């Protein structure tokens, strides 16, 4: 067994393959090479973005003809060397499967692909696919509560997946939540379930989402059986909310089962019926909300995958009766004059929370206004902005095309809109935190051009932005063929749904660092710390590591010696925690989110220090050095994941300790902030265009669609 990178291959394409048999760690594959595909001696190759390396080993040829090759691969050693280490960490992993071969001195690499599955996908390409992988029941590796099974993507690409044994059960379980009520502090969940062989439900589990193991919070609710109705078992569960500790932000609801073998597994409580959603969440008078603390609320909602969940947060301006009245007025105005509004052919452009004009949305809108694209595209193009946004002045030259977020006029335009164009999901086009909305249900039907606000590579987000998922889109804008492959492979989008154009904001992204002495420090957020209290945040490794860095004498000396200034810019999701960083240094500036355009900070900086933030691509695009300070990489891999190997494939030094960070930092300063040759060479594969025509290419892609 050997580890190696996938480099130096002349061809990287798909080869027709099927599984023949799978048992006891052995898999027999049949491959059918095309006339142009050359096959010599075969090695089997496993790769994963999550793992440290790639693994290859020889195969046993069982039969070889010109058009058909049968071979067997023995994976027993792989289970010992590779799979077991991830099973011990309780990490779900997926490996792609390839064969590599050498013919006449040249290396070739082929992705094993089931062409029958691929053809089925192409025949049904207009259907939304909610299941990204097809799992097969054959178990080829058994490790405690984990097992290895083969899988196939919707495009037929084959691989192996390490996951919990419970996955075998959860796909066959059927349940249905029928009512959720909160009266004062008393929560009641009514549901139905069907019995399956060898398994019995034991309790309902309400669990805090995205929590680290040490911070995990969950509550077990005993099941009370209430009889039967046909094939359904009727049941309910209760919880006194005043007797438990509640924390922001999302809580998922599971039905927990135990098999006769003693395996415990969970499946989410769901209901696919629009009638249920209308009855439960769209009633004008019904309000199942628990209020507690100073101004906190806890209430149920349905996720976009039709699962029951709860939100725990501070009460906001869109949670009251007046907001529900405004929605109904706007809906009435729209339906009375529907033909007029739809004749306007409205395109709405917006950014995060409709509070910003700094990112790809703003620069795309600006391009459209400055180049008369309304007339050329025969569309009415509007920018959506909250009236309290500090960026409102930037839109003054285009005020006729600016609509106030959540005004009655805006809600009417939203209902009439032909297309949404944004750096974020559809949910950012409406009140971010709201209850019982009658308008929000129409959002899913709106076409969306997803401009992104960062290159998709360092963080796994296909669970959110994947095709058929909560944040899916109609057209996915990317920056390179490398990124396009990630979006096609992991997100399930077809080629015609991906536009390789580059980012609109890169049209104006030019290096302004000449004569500057600024360094930009910008870490990203952590999902396990989202909206936690100040005390919990200050106890986190995230806070402690950055405070240690910012108060380090070595940093003070480095900045003083080289006459440098450090700009510390927190991710917008952590903007409320900027007050917790108390730094007494004239050379360190703490910049609250929105106070200064991030674009300007990136253009002025000499270099960037980040962890996993996608702003690294903007700085790298300008040819400037980036250092990746990743002190919690293992936690990040487990809770966020990545599409590339952080320890091998980044375009700057990757460090995990403070001393390593300072060594890389000092080396970069001494070089005059020059990009190292190996990182300069990587730019060709990571960027398809380095010009000022990205917005034009996006417009062309929209016109081509006829939107």
């Amino acid at each position: 067994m050997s580890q190696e990178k996938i480099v130096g291959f002349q061809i990287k394409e798909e080869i027709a393959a099927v599984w023949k048999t799978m048992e006891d760690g052995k898999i027999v594959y049949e491959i059918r090479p095309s006339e142009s595909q050359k096959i010599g001696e075969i090695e089997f190759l496993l790769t994963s973005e999550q793992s440290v390396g790639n693994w290859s080993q020889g195969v046993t040829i069982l039969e070889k003809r010109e058009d058909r090759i049968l071979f067997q691969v023995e994976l027993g050693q792989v289970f010992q060397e590779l799979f077991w280490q991830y099973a011990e960490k309780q990490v779900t992993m997926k490996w792609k499967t390839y064969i590599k071969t050498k013919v006449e001195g040249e290396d070739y690499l082929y992705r094993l692909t089931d062409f029958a599955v691929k053809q089925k996908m192409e025949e049904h390409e207009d259907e939304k696919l909610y299941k990204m992988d097809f799992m097969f029941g054959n178990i080829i590796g058994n490790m405690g509560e984990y097992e290895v099974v083969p899988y196939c993507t919707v495009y037929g690409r084959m691989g192996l997946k390490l996951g919990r044994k419970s996955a075998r059960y959860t796909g066959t379980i059927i349940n249905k939540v029928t009512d959720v009520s909160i009266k004062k502090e008393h929560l009641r969940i009514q549901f139905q379930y069907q019995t399956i062989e060898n398994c019995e439900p034991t309790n309902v589990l309400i669990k805090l989402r995205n929590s680290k193991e040490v911070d995990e919070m969950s509550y077990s609710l005993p099941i009370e059986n209430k009889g039967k109705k046909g094939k359904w078992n009727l049941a309910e569960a209760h919880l006194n909310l005043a007797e438990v500790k509640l924390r922001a932000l999302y809580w998922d609801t599971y039905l927990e089962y135990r098999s006769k073998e003693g395996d415990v597994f969970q499946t989410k409580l769901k209901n696919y019926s629009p009638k249920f959603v209308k009855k439960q969440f769209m009633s004008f008078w019904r309000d199942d909300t628990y209020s507690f603390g100073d101004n906190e609320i806890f209430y149920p909602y349905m996720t976009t995958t039709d699962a029951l969940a709860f939100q725990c947060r501070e009460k906001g301006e869109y949670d009251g009766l007046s907001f529900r009245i405004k929605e109904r007025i706007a809906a009435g105005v729209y339906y009375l004059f529907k033909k007029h509004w739809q004749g306007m052919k409205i395109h709405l452009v917006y950014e995060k929370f409709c509070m910003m004009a700094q990112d790809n949305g703003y620069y795309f809108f600006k391009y459209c206004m400055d180049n008369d694209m309304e007339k050329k595209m025969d569309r009415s193009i509007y920018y959506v902005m909250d009236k309290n946004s500090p960026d409102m002045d930037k839109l003054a030259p285009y005020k006729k095309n600016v609509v106030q977020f959540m005004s009655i006029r805006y809600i009417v335009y939203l209902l009439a809109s032909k297309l949404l164009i944004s750096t974020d999901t559809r949910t950012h086009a409406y009140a971010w935190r709201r209850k019982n909305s009658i308008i929000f249900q129409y959002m899913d039907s709106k076409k969306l051009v997803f401009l992104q606000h960062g290159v998709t590579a360092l963080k796994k987000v296909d669970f959110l932005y994947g095709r058929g998922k909560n944040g899916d889109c109609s057209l996915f804008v990317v920056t390179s063929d490398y990124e396009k492959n990630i979006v096609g492979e992991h997100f399930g989008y077809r080629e015609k749904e991906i536009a390789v154009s580059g980012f609109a904001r890169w049209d104006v992204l030019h290096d302004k660092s000449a004569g500057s002495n600024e360094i930009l420090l910008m870490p990203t957020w952590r999902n396990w710390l989202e909206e936690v209290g100040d005390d919990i945040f200050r106890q986190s490794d995230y806070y402690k590591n950055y405070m240690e860095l910012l108060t380090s004498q070595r940093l003070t000396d480095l900045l003083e010696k080289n006459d440098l200034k450090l700009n510390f810019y927190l991710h917008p999701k952590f903007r409320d925690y900027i007050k917790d960083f108390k730094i007494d240094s004239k050379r360190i500036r703490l910049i609250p989110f929105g106070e200064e355009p991030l674009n300007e900070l990136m253009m002025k900086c000499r270099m960037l220090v980040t962890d996993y933030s996608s702003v690294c691509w903007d700085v790298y695009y300008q040819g400037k050095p980036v250092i990746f300070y990743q002190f919690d990489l293992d936690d990040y891999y487990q809770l966020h994941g990545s599409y590339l190997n952080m320890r091998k494939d980044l375009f700057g030094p990757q460090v995990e300790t403070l001393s390593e960070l300072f060594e890389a930092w000092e080396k970069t300063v001494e070089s005059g902030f020059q990009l190292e040759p190996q990182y300069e060479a990587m730019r060709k594969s990571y960027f398809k265009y380095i010009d000022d025509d990205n917005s034009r290419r996006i417009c062309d892609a929209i016109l081509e669609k006829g939107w």
Side-chain angles (χ1 to χ4, degrees):
M1 180 75 65
S2 62
Q3 295 189 33
E4 58 191 58
K5 284 187 176 181
I6 306 179
V7 294
F9 290 92
Q10 299 301 312
I11 296 178
K12 186 176 180 180
E13 61 182 60
E14 297 170 344
I15 191 168
V18 293
W19 290 292
K20 300 301 288 186
T21 62
M22 293 171 272
E23 60 181 352
D24 298 328
K26 300 175 183 177
I27 308 180
V28 175
Y29 289 93
E30 177 185 305
I31 59 172
R32 293 183 175 271
S34 67
E35 292 182 2
S36 63
Q37 290 176 329
K38 301 178 180 180
I39 303 293
E41 185 176 340
I42 294 173
E43 277 192 85
F44 184 77
L45 183 67
L46 290 170
T47 75
S48 173
E49 293 86 357
Q50 294 165 285
S51 58
V52 173
N54 306 297
W55 283 259
S56 65
Q57 75 175 39
V59 304
T60 302
I61 302 296
L62 304 178
E63 180 183 340
K64 186 171 184 178
R65 301 201 308 244
E66 188 173 327
D67 63 340
R68 176 177 181 267
I69 300 173
L70 211 64
F71 68 86
Q72 176 179 288
V73 58
E74 166 62 66
L75 295 174
Q77 187 180 354
V78 180
F79 295 149
Q80 296 301 317
E81 294 185 16
L82 177 59
F83 296 141
W84 181 250
Q85 62 179 295
Y86 294 101
E88 284 184 322
K89 295 178 182 178
Q90 298 187 340
V91 176
T92 299
M93 296 284 294
K94 291 201 297 188
W95 285 269
K96 304 171 189 176
T97 51
Y98 297 83
I99 60 167
K100 60 177 184 175
T101 183
K102 186 184 287 287
V103 178
E104 297 176 355
E106 291 189 354
D107 292 315
Y108 296 83
L109 181 69
Y110 300 107
R111 179 74 189 270
L112 297 177
T113 304
D114 189 325
F115 276 41
V117 173
K118 182 177 181 179
Q119 182 179 355
K120 185 177 180 180
M121 166 65 188
E122 291 170 349
E123 290 171 353
H124 299 84
E125 64 178 359
D126 292 326
E127 297 177 9
K128 262 192 173 182
L129 294 170
Y130 289 90
K131 193 170 181 65
M132 297 301 294
D133 297 329
F134 302 109
M135 303 303 298
F136 294 82
N138 307 65
I139 303 166
I140 55 174
N142 198 328
M143 291 154 287
E145 63 177 299
Y146 279 75
E147 62 193 12
V148 178
V149 295
Y151 78 92
C152 187
T153 73
V154 293
Y155 291 100
R157 294 159 188 155
M158 301 162 75
L160 300 176
K161 182 174 183 177
L162 170 72
R164 293 182 184 273
K165 290 180 179 177
S166 59
R168 279 184 285 148
Y169 295 105
T170 53
T172 62
I173 290 173
I174 300 175
N175 68 60
K176 181 167 64 176
V177 60
T178 55
D179 190 77
V180 185
S181 66
I182 297 178
K183 305 299 182 186
K184 294 185 178 179
E185 71 275 6
H186 185 74
L187 167 65
R188 183 187 68 181
I189 302 172
Q190 294 180 302
F191 60 96
Q192 302 174 355
Y193 67 91
Q194 293 183 16
T195 304
I196 63 171
E197 187 178 357
N198 297 325
C199 291
E200 288 293 335
T202 56
N203 57 279
V204 169
L205 190 71
I206 298 179
K207 184 178 180 181
L208 182 65
R209 188 185 302 171
N210 290 335
S211 56
K212 293 172 67 175
E213 187 174 345
V214 294
D215 300 321
E216 188 172 291
M217 294 179 68
S218 63
Y219 300 108
S220 180
L221 287 59
I223 292 175
E224 298 179 17
N225 287 298
K226 298 294 182 179
K228 296 199 69 169
K229 184 179 179 181
K231 61 184 178 181
W232 293 98
N233 297 285
L234 309 181
E236 60 184 51
H238 300 258
L239 179 65
N240 188 326
L241 296 169
E243 295 178 354
V244 298
K245 183 179 179 181
L246 298 173
R247 204 179 92 187
L249 180 60
Y250 300 110
W251 294 73
D252 293 309
T253 309
Y254 301 87
L255 189 57
E256 194 162 78
Y257 281 77
R258 182 180 293 273
S259 71
K260 288 186 177 180
E261 293 82 14
D263 294 324
V264 177
F265 55 94
Q266 302 153 359
T267 182
K268 288 187 176 180
L269 277 171
K270 296 192 172 188
N271 192 315
Y272 299 93
S273 168
K275 290 183 179 179
F276 167 76
V277 174
K278 186 174 182 179
K279 178 201 78 168
Q280 180 76 50
F281 301 106
M282 295 176 60
S283 167
F284 186 75
W285 301 110
R286 183 167 183 169
D287 188 10
D288 294 296
T289 302
Y290 171 57
S291 300
F292 66 103
D294 294 333
N295 193 35
E296 295 177 282
I297 55 175
F298 181 86
Y299 63 93
Y301 74 100
M302 299 299 286
T303 70
T304 54
T305 57
D306 303 302
L308 173 65
F310 296 86
Q311 268 196 32
C312 180
R313 59 174 174 83
E314 287 190 357
K315 188 175 182 180
E317 63 177 308
Y318 303 115
D319 292 320
L321 181 62
S322 61
F323 174 65
R324 282 182 271 171
I325 293 172
K326 178 190 278 190
E327 282 194 321
R328 282 156 177 79
I329 292 172
V333 171
Y334 168 68
Y335 283 108
L336 277 173
F337 305 101
K338 184 176 180 179
K339 188 174 181 180
H340 166 73
W341 303 123
Q342 291 189 336
M344 292 176 66
K345 302 176 185 176
I346 295 171
H347 285 188
L348 295 175
V349 187
Y350 59 94
E351 293 181 356
K352 191 177 292 293
F353 307 121
C354 292
M355 280 292 293
M356 296 174 59
Q358 301 182 13
D359 206 337
N360 291 316
Y362 168 71
Y363 288 103
F364 174 77
F365 172 75
K366 186 177 187 299
Y367 172 86
C368 290
M369 294 297 100
D370 293 345
N371 292 274
D372 201 19
M373 294 308 295
E374 280 192 301
K375 183 176 180 180
K376 294 176 182 176
M377 298 174 73
D378 187 26
R379 298 291 183 266
S380 300
I381 303 174
Y382 294 93
Y383 198 88
V384 186
M385 180 62 87
D386 190 293
K387 64 180 180 181
N388 297 316
S389 169
D391 289 338
M392 185 63 87
D393 290 344
K394 294 175 68 175
L395 296 167
Y398 317 112
K399 61 182 179 181
K400 289 183 179 180
N401 289 77
V402 177
V403 59
Q404 182 181 315
F405 180 59
M406 297 312 294
S407 63
I408 290 177
R409 177 191 176 208
Y410 170 64
I411 297 173
V412 171
Y413 279 18
L414 180 63
L415 288 170
S417 61
K418 185 179 180 69
L419 183 66
L420 305 179
I421 304 170
S422 180
T423 53
D424 291 271
T425 63
R426 295 173 181 86
T427 55
H428 283 261
Y430 209 61
W432 184 246
R433 307 280 187 233
R434 88 256 133 219
K435 300 184 303 174
N436 302 341
S437 169
I438 64 167
I439 302 296
F440 192 73
Q441 62 172 320
Y442 298 104
M443 300 291 288
D444 281 346
S445 64
K446 298 295 180 182
K447 285 185 170 60
L448 170 69
V449 174
F450 184 39
L451 301 176
Q452 299 200 79
H453 56 82
V455 175
T456 296
L458 302 187
K459 182 186 295 182
K460 288 207 165 188
V461 290
D462 51 280
F463 68 91
L464 174 60
Y465 298 112
R467 193 167 187 263
K469 301 294 183 179
N470 182 8
D472 73 349
C473 65
S474 311
L475 185 66
F476 205 119
V477 171
V478 299
T479 59
S480 66
D481 291 327
Y482 173 83
E483 188 183 10
K484 177 183 176 182
N485 290 336
I486 291 175
V487 172
E489 173 79 16
H490 297 276
F491 291 64
Y493 289 97
R494 303 184 294 269
E495 186 166 347
K496 67 181 183 180
E497 296 170 325
I498 306 171
V500 184
S501 62
F503 286 163
R505 70 170 180 260
W506 289 356
D507 286 345
V508 298
L509 191 68
H510 303 122
D511 187 1
K512 297 180 180 179
S513 64
S516 168
N517 64 347
E518 295 181 10
I519 307 295
L520 179 60
L521 171 61
M522 184 176 173
T524 191
W525 62 294
R526 305 294 190 272
N527 60 14
W528 59 88
L529 291 174
E530 187 176 2
E531 296 198 23
V532 300
D534 287 345
D535 289 343
I536 294 174
F537 181 77
R538 286 193 295 267
Q539 293 168 13
S540 68
D541 289 340
Y542 180 95
Y543 175 77
K544 291 176 181 177
N545 274 277
Y546 282 108
M547 277 300 291
E548 184 181 3
L549 166 60
L550 293 168
T551 58
S552 165
Q553 185 60 45
R554 191 168 176 181
L555 175 62
T556 300
D557 295 342
L558 176 62
L559 298 178
E560 287 286 347
K561 178 183 176 182
N562 298 282
D563 189 26
L564 298 172
K565 291 185 178 180
L566 180 66
N567 292 323
F568 181 48
Y569 190 99
L570 270 184
H571 188 278
K573 288 199 174 186
F574 279 4
R575 61 188 181 274
D576 292 337
Y577 301 122
I578 191 75
K579 63 184 183 300
D580 294 307
F581 293 90
K582 301 186 187 303
I583 309 299
D584 184 20
S585 172
K586 294 180 179 179
R587 291 192 174 273
I588 300 176
R589 185 161 66 110
L590 305 183
I591 305 177
F593 167 70
E595 182 178 281
E596 188 169 336
L598 182 56
N599 240 26
E600 289 297 320
L601 292 170
M602 291 188 292
M603 289 189 285
K604 291 178 183 176
C605 76
R606 300 296 303 276
M607 63 173 280
L608 169 72
V609 178
T610 187
D611 45 12
Y612 320 98
S613 174
S614 60
V615 299
C616 63
W617 297 93
D618 295 64
V619 175
Y620 183 48
Y621 179 85
Q622 299 174 68
K624 301 177 186 179
V626 180
I627 300 175
F628 297 88
Y629 177 38
Q630 300 174 336
F631 55 84
D632 58 353
L633 182 58
D634 290 337
D635 282 340
Y636 185 88
Y637 265 143
Q638 185 169 348
L639 293 168
H640 282 291
S642 173
Y643 299 111
L644 54 75
N645 189 318
M646 297 279 197
R647 292 189 171 102
K648 290 181 177 290
D649 300 329
L650 292 173
F651 41 83
Q654 187 271 339
V655 300
E656 298 180 38
T657 67
L658 205 54
S659 61
E660 291 174 340
L661 170 61
F662 283 122
E663 287 174 13
W665 198 330
E666 290 162 355
K667 181 180 178 182
T668 304
V669 173
E670 290 169 4
S671 74
F673 300 100
Q674 294 299 306
L675 202 59
E676 294 184 34
Q678 69 267 32
Y679 303 135
E680 177 65 46
M682 296 167 72
R683 293 179 78 217
K684 295 178 181 178
S685 60
Y686 282 144
F687 303 113
K688 185 164 187 177
Y689 304 104
I690 300 181
D691 58 25
D692 298 336
D693 291 327
N694 301 312
S695 295
R696 177 189 59 77
R697 284 187 285 267
I698 296 169
C699 284
D700 290 346
I702 293 172
L703 283 169
E704 187 178 325
K705 295 289 184 184
W707 296 337

